[in-house]
Amino acid sequence: MIHHTMIVSFDNPVPESELDQFLEDIEQLMRGAGRVQTFSAKHHIRVPADDHSPVFAATAIVQFGVSGPDALNASLMAPGGEELIRRWQARYPYKVVWANHEPL
């Protein structure tokens, strides 16, 4: 199994209900792709030290698991993904970093 872990950082504060919707939209897209075996997403727990992050502090973390590289690539290229990104970026700009890894 490969886990894909995304750290999402919105440029500005996002209302909690909107952040929840963002995470739900990602889950629906990933599960709809039919390759995801596990999925979880949580809000980042902010602490004062986050203000000193050398890159950016997270707003949310998303992780899903797939059977292997082909399933991961198919999930990341799922129909509707580009539209989801454009829609959310237009409303609330954000940055993402990710890592593909074996289960920790």
Side-chain angles (χ1 to χ4, degrees):
M1 176 175 279
I2 294 176
H3 281 185
H4 178 77
T5 301
M6 299 187 329
I7 299 172
V8 181
S9 178
F10 284 88
D11 294 351
N12 296 300
V14 177
E16 191 169 317
S17 62
E18 290 286 281
L19 181 56
D20 290 340
Q21 185 61 58
F22 172 76
L23 297 175
E24 287 177 29
D25 288 355
I26 293 173
E27 181 174 10
Q28 288 176 356
L29 178 71
M30 291 297 98
R31 290 197 185 277
R35 301 289 193 102
V36 172
Q37 296 175 348
T38 63
F39 184 95
S40 61
K42 299 287 184 192
H43 294 211
H44 169 70
I45 299 169
R46 188 151 179 80
V47 297
D50 288 346
D51 293 338
H52 306 289
S53 173
V55 179
F56 59 70
T59 306
I61 289 69
V62 174
Q63 185 178 80
F64 59 88
V66 295
S67 62
D70 292 339
L72 176 58
N73 193 57
S75 295
L76 295 174
M77 302 302 292
E82 288 183 27
E83 190 277 325
L84 183 145
I85 292 166
R86 275 194 302 272
R87 181 167 37 94
W88 279 100
Q89 284 283 7
R91 293 170 66 190
Y92 300 103
Y94 63 90
K95 299 172 199 69
V96 177
V97 297
W98 63 72
N100 304 320
H101 54 91
E102 294 178 347
L104 300 175

